[in-house]
Amino acid sequence: MSKSLSHVFLPVFGGTALVLAAALVFANRNYGQSKIDTLETRIGQVEAHAASALKNAQAEASRAAELETKVEEIQAAAAERVANGANLTAPAPIRDGTIGLGRPALEEEIAAWDVDILPDGRGLPVGSGDVWTGEEVFVDRCASCHGEFAEGADNWPVLAGGFDTLADEDPVKTVGSYWPHLSTAWDYISRSMPFGEAGTLTADETYAIVAYILYSNDLVDDDFVLSNDNFAEFEMHNKDGFVVDTRPETEYAKWRKEPCMENCKTEAGVTMRSVFLVETPPEGGSNSVMNEASADELPTFTVEGPSFIPAAAPKPEEEAAATPAVQETDEADQTTELFAAGEKVFKKCKSCHQVGDGAKDSTGPALNGVIGANAGSAEEFKYSKAMKTAAEAGLVWTEEEMAAFLAKPKEYMKGTRMSFAGLKKPDDIEAVIVYLKSFGS
């Protein structure tokens, strides 16, 4: 008797289903175990973070409690001091010779500030600089204030010349004429210059600038090189012009007495005016001009007040309104105008050259009669090698030659000691020549 197909396949299908069910149960079991392990790991991490946060919170709470206690102690001490009449703003008491503030400076901190240079060269860094390099650096970094050849621009200090003025009422105190120690120049330039960019010069640039200033004062030749090796050997022009100040020991005791307050002057007067005045031209900038006014025009003062009140100077627009219209000038007027313009331009030359009555050789030769004269003809002046060579070749300072020289001195005469860059405007050159011609020909 044969069986039906259903009796054959049903057992087979039933076995397969049982296997699949077992596999599914096993897979689900593995997945569930993995999930449990992951959750347990995360729980452990959270518990660790919570424990760390709790510990930090406890530490901060403890620190806050300590600070609160400290504040209460300080407030209690302050209240006690006030109750006892103490001054809370008085300086801290000194104990054992100190006030308990700060700490000893570290060696590297001291070294950062220990940059001063002594007259014998101690403290100088290793380096060197020559005159011509110094000229380039000076023109680039310093000339805007001190002029292209150290003559001073506007009211900024003059650095060259003035050697024959130290005994005058108003001496010109320059690096060359007045300063006794070269270390002063090096130290000041290194620390404080250029203006607005202090401390940006390298040691070599500083050596070069100092060398150029010495050259501008005619204290060295154009081939001079200044370095830390020869620095201490250089002697300044005015090295013996200073004395030790003994007034604290010899004179101050005589002065420190009670004022008598008797026989006082009943009237006081201003005895001097400012030597220079500063003009502000319409185009901007400023010009320093001589003050021609005298002290006679000033009031005297008593306890009742000034003897008179000077009238105010008219404003520029009032002067312009009061001035009649200028008519066309003739040739003489043009010469007068050129002379006035030349006198103004010559201010760029005055720190080295003199003209007029009593003119003497300074950093540069006196220029009386220079137009039409032979080059290098000032007998006692020490000319550069280049100027001596030109003189031997027969150079004569005609108006044309002088104009070419003033335009670009270094190109016109290679090796000239005159470090001036030249006059850029032809009108300025013409005006200066007219001005120089007025002092002889």
Side-chain angles (χ1 to χ4, degrees), residues 273-336:
R273 280 184 178 267
S274 173
V275 178
F276 296 100
L277 296 177
V278 178
E279 293 181 341
T280 304
E283 62 272 15
S286 62
N287 293 324
S288 180
V289 298
M290 292 294 296
N291 184 5
E292 305 296 343
S294 67
D296 298 335
E297 304 166 9
L298 296 174
T300 57
F301 300 86
T302 66
V303 291
E304 286 78 21
S307 57
F308 68 92
I309 300 177
K315 294 182 179 179
E317 54 268 21
E318 294 174 355
E319 291 180 347
T323 303
V326 179
Q327 304 298 322
E328 289 186 3
T329 59
D330 55 17
E331 185 176 348
D333 292 334
Q334 292 177 353
T335 302
T336 301

Side-chain angles (χ1 to χ4, degrees), residues 91-100:
I94 297 177
R95 298 184 180 89
D96 300 328
T98 67
I99 59 175

Side-chain angles (χ1 to χ4, degrees), residues 350-417:
K350 288 179 68 175
S351 63
C352 294
H353 298 283
Q354 298 182 15
V355 292
D357 295 338
K360 301 177 182 178
D361 294 337
S362 181
T363 304
L367 298 182
N368 289 346
V370 67
I371 303 300
N374 295 326
S377 56
E379 295 181 0
E380 299 182 0
F381 186 76
K382 181 182 176 182
Y383 287 100
S384 64
K385 298 175 182 177
M387 185 64 72
K388 292 178 180 178
T389 301
E392 293 171 357
L395 174 63
V396 177
W397 288 124
T398 63
E399 293 186 30
E400 293 76 13
E401 295 293 339
M402 182 61 73
F405 179 70
L406 292 176
K408 293 183 178 179
K410 295 177 188 176
E411 290 188 9
Y412 178 93
M413 186 177 294
K414 300 293 185 181
T416 177
R417 289 217 312 253

